[in-house]
Amino acid sequence: MNLKLYQSFLTLLGLTILSGCGASNATHNQETKNTLRIATSFRIQALAPQESASYFLVEYAVAETPLFVDDAATIQPNLLASYERIDDRSWKLVIRDGVSFQNGKPVTAEAFAAAMNFQIKNSPATQNLLPNASVRTSGKQELVLTTETPDPNVPAALADESGFPIFDVECIERANLDTTKIIEGGCYTGPYKIASLDDREIVLRRSDNYWRVVPPLDQIVIKFVPDAQVRILAVQSGEADIALYPPAETGRMLAGQSNAFFVVGQESRSGPRLLFNLRRPPFDDVAIRQAISLGIRYQSLAADTFDGIFQEADGFYPQTFSFAVQNQKTDVAEAKKILDEAGWKPNESGLRSKNGATLSAVLLTYPQQPDWVILATAIQAQLREIGFDVTIRQVDDIKAAMGGNDWDFGIISPGVTTHGGAPEPPLREFLSSTGERNFGGVKDPELDRLIETLGQTFDTKLRNDLLRRIQEIVVVEKVYEVRPVYSRARVVVGKRFKDYKPSPYLRHVTFDTKPADE
């Protein structure tokens, strides 16, 4: 099949997926001016807040959190008018006046506290953020949040999309996980309420009693389309306004096009992580890990491999964060010197060997992230320059593959802060000796002490000092992992939403999302 026929086939497939088999009540109004049509790779399956729905409902402006993180990584009021720390374990929360649920019931202090306590009891994501916390009313619009231990990241937890979506607890309990009853109940507070959900799409409609402003859109139709190419073609054909999660190579595909535009966010908050298995050769040797870190050309990965769509990684955290240290660098000559001194000598082909064994390793990646497949190929070529023989292997479940010991190093996506911007939980999960996702087998007593101390330190200067020492250990001294690039949010948009700006915190829809002025 030639390229033109193949594109025509994909376009037809995209139209079939997006339009469905016949006009349903969910899509009959798609052509109205005030309808936003989104194509996403992730299917929403549940609507109860204690399940994974909490992520999606906040991202699409159905649910709201007490606080939120703006695109400059600053925590801002939201459903809370203000907050302040009373002591090391207690926080005063003041609820905003005039907020109601989509069903018209007012959001009282009692209702707010009930929602937070419900999540603390029932949501694994919330329990991970604030284990064994409790909330009580202390006035007409006031609450007191009490944590189990001193926790400086309470504001970040209150801004985290996975933590505390505020909802009508009676509505959720009455529904008892029944999707239809949750839809009918109008349980949340956001500008858009759920109209319908099936295996193909979720439809949202404007909430007429939203507390902030009159939402500018009448309807939002979110289609679940796993194939990235089909999502992009849907925008090109006019069947969708926004395609989420396009691969980086889309920028090249759409260069010069007038029917779809590749839009990249300005700031980075996350990116892939290159993890090492420290429990077996070759990465049980810190010298090998240091050589890998120095041998990767970070500027080239960002500028050449990904056309500048990603940012050059110069440390564990992007520079947006005040505590970030720029201590990751490229030095190919030093990488070769380290390998020479460790006894790994290059042969005629340029590959290194020692005691008859070739310096080699298998790099894991996974097809669900096509950008990381491209990244792995680039890293493979760069490490070949210092004499390292890298084989790439794709696995369907990267977490499962790294859960055992039969792997060398691999690319994985979880960020280095929570959705609310807190650094401690990811550090604890990935780099403490007892972390649930300590795939590499890191066992570092000093790092454990630093992470534990950080989790109970409120003073900003002391926190930054602790974080800088952690970065020195992780990036330079022990090289427990490498940050290949910093990724930025990106979307494909049509003409109607040409002014749309993707959020680094994946807020795909907000109360003021609207078409471009015509």
Side-chain angles (χ1 to χ4, degrees):
M1 181 181 291
N2 65 35
L3 180 59
K4 188 172 183 180
L5 286 174
Y6 179 65
Q7 289 177 331
S8 298
F9 166 74
L10 284 175
T11 301
L12 179 60
L13 177 62
L15 294 176
T16 300
I17 292 174
L18 286 170
S19 61
C21 299
S24 67
N25 181 59
T27 58
H28 76 279
N29 195 35
Q30 283 191 13
E31 296 304 318
T32 64
K33 181 178 180 181
N34 286 326
T35 294
L36 167 59
R37 301 158 302 170
I38 298 175
T40 181
S41 56
F42 294 100
R43 183 163 71 92
I44 298 174
Q45 298 177 280
L47 298 179
Q50 69 269 36
E51 299 181 327
S52 61
S54 60
Y55 291 89
F56 298 111
L57 297 179
V58 173
E59 290 174 5
Y60 292 112
V62 172
E64 296 175 299
T65 49
L67 304 173
F68 81 99
V69 185
D70 65 20
D71 288 354
T74 303
I75 293 178
Q76 302 284 0
N78 200 29
L79 293 179
L80 291 180
S82 65
Y83 65 95
E84 63 178 292
R85 181 163 63 94
I86 300 171
D87 54 43
D88 284 357
R89 295 180 55 237
S90 302
W91 296 74
K92 176 183 175 182
L93 312 180
V94 179
I95 301 169
R96 189 181 297 276
D97 290 325
V99 179
S100 63
F101 297 111
Q102 292 160 346
N103 57 24
K105 293 171 63 175
V107 178
T108 62
E110 290 78 9
F112 210 105
M116 294 185 69
N117 285 322
F118 182 97
Q119 288 298 89
I120 291 167
K121 178 181 179 181
N122 297 293
S123 167
T126 307
Q127 291 162 2
N128 185 54
L129 293 170
L130 290 180
N132 301 317
S134 63
V135 183
R136 62 177 176 84
T137 60
S138 58
K140 183 179 179 182
Q141 292 295 99
E142 292 182 4
L143 307 172
V144 173
L145 167 65
T146 303
T147 58
E148 183 179 32
T149 60
D151 192 337
N153 285 309
V154 165
L158 297 178
D160 197 307
E161 64 175 23
S162 67
F164 291 101
I166 300 303
F167 51 89
D168 179 356
V169 172
E170 291 181 358
C171 174
I172 292 297
E173 289 182 334
R174 188 165 53 247
N176 192 28
L177 302 181
D178 185 299
T179 295
T180 300
K181 291 181 180 179
I182 292 175
I183 292 172
E184 293 173 348
C187 305
Y188 296 100
T189 66
Y192 297 98
K193 58 185 179 181
I194 308 159
S196 65
L197 171 66
D198 58 32
D199 289 341
R200 297 179 299 111
E201 66 183 20
I202 185 170
V203 177
L204 313 177
R205 297 215 173 94
R206 181 172 59 206
S207 177
D208 292 329
N209 62 339
Y210 182 56
W211 60 273
R212 195 191 301 261
V213 295
V214 176
L217 298 169
D218 294 330
Q219 179 173 261
I220 302 170
V221 180
I222 303 158
K223 291 283 189 176
F224 312 139
V225 185
D227 189 285
Q229 184 67 20
V230 173
R231 295 197 300 275
I232 295 163
L233 287 167
V235 175
Q236 290 183 285
S237 68
E239 289 296 307
D241 298 302
I242 299 173
L244 301 178
Y245 310 112
E249 64 181 358
T250 306
R252 297 178 187 176
M253 292 169 46
L254 297 180
Q257 298 291 314
S258 60
N259 57 359
F261 309 94
F262 187 63
V263 181
V264 180
Q266 294 300 308
E267 300 293 343
S268 174
R269 299 287 179 271
S270 62
R273 306 170 69 165
L274 183 63
L275 304 186
F276 300 104
N277 187 350
L278 311 181
R279 293 167 293 224
R280 68 185 214 171
F283 298 122
D284 58 346
D285 185 348
V286 66
I288 301 296
R289 303 196 301 270
Q290 289 172 335
I292 292 287
S293 177
L294 292 167
I296 293 176
R297 300 179 185 271
Y298 304 101
Q299 194 276 336
S300 178
L301 291 178
D304 302 327
T305 304
F306 292 112
D307 295 332
I309 292 166
F310 292 160
Q311 293 177 330
E312 178 183 352
D314 56 7
F316 192 72
Y317 297 103
Q319 293 185 31
T320 311
F321 296 101
S322 61
F323 45 78
V325 179
Q326 289 76 60
N327 59 351
Q328 181 175 268
K329 64 179 182 178
T330 300
D331 191 333
V332 174
E334 181 64 18
K336 292 179 178 180
K337 179 182 177 183
I338 289 173
L339 293 175
D340 287 338
E341 293 175 348
W344 293 95
K345 304 301 183 182
N347 58 27
E348 299 80 8
S349 67
L351 294 177
R352 293 177 179 268
S353 60
K354 179 180 178 180
N355 299 328
T358 301
L359 182 57
S360 63
V362 176
L363 175 57
L364 299 185
T365 185
Y366 52 110
Q368 294 91 337
Q369 276 280 12
D371 286 336
W372 304 161
V373 178
I374 295 170
L375 176 63
T377 303
I379 290 174
Q380 178 189 47
Q382 291 182 354
L383 295 183
R384 179 66 174 76
E385 295 180 32
I386 64 171
F388 211 110
D389 185 21
V390 175
T391 301
I392 298 171
R393 186 172 86 225
Q394 285 198 44
V395 294
D396 290 332
D397 189 333
I398 190 71
K399 293 179 183 178
M402 288 184 171
N405 194 39
D406 188 21
W407 63 284
D408 297 325
F409 64 150
I411 299 171
I412 197 166
S413 292
V416 290
T417 66
T418 65
H419 292 285
E424 285 94 320
L427 288 172
R428 193 178 301 117
E429 278 189 285
F430 283 88
L431 291 165
S432 71
S433 299
T434 58
E436 293 181 2
R437 292 196 281 181
N438 182 0
F439 299 123
V442 176
K443 292 188 181 299
D444 189 315
E446 181 184 3
L447 196 55
D448 286 343
R449 288 193 299 271
L450 290 167
I451 293 171
E452 182 179 0
T453 304
L454 179 67
Q456 299 188 22
T457 299
F458 291 87
D459 182 83
T460 300
K461 183 182 182 303
L462 293 178
R463 286 178 58 80
N464 287 348
D465 289 343
L466 290 165
L467 283 162
R468 292 184 183 109
R469 176 58 189 151
I470 288 170
Q471 291 169 78
E472 191 67 17
I473 293 171
V474 172
V475 177
V476 179
E477 293 180 8
K478 302 296 181 64
V479 194
Y480 289 133
E481 63 176 89
V482 164
R483 300 300 302 280
V485 290
Y486 300 141
S487 59
R488 295 189 290 182
R490 54 201 184 275
V491 296
V492 172
V493 300
K495 292 181 180 179
R496 293 181 62 241
F497 284 82
K498 62 184 180 183
D499 295 336
Y500 181 89
K501 302 299 182 185
S503 165
Y505 291 101
L506 303 181
R507 285 188 290 272
H508 305 310
V509 178
T510 64
F511 69 91
D512 57 356
T513 300
K514 63 180 180 179
D517 294 332
E518 298 179 351

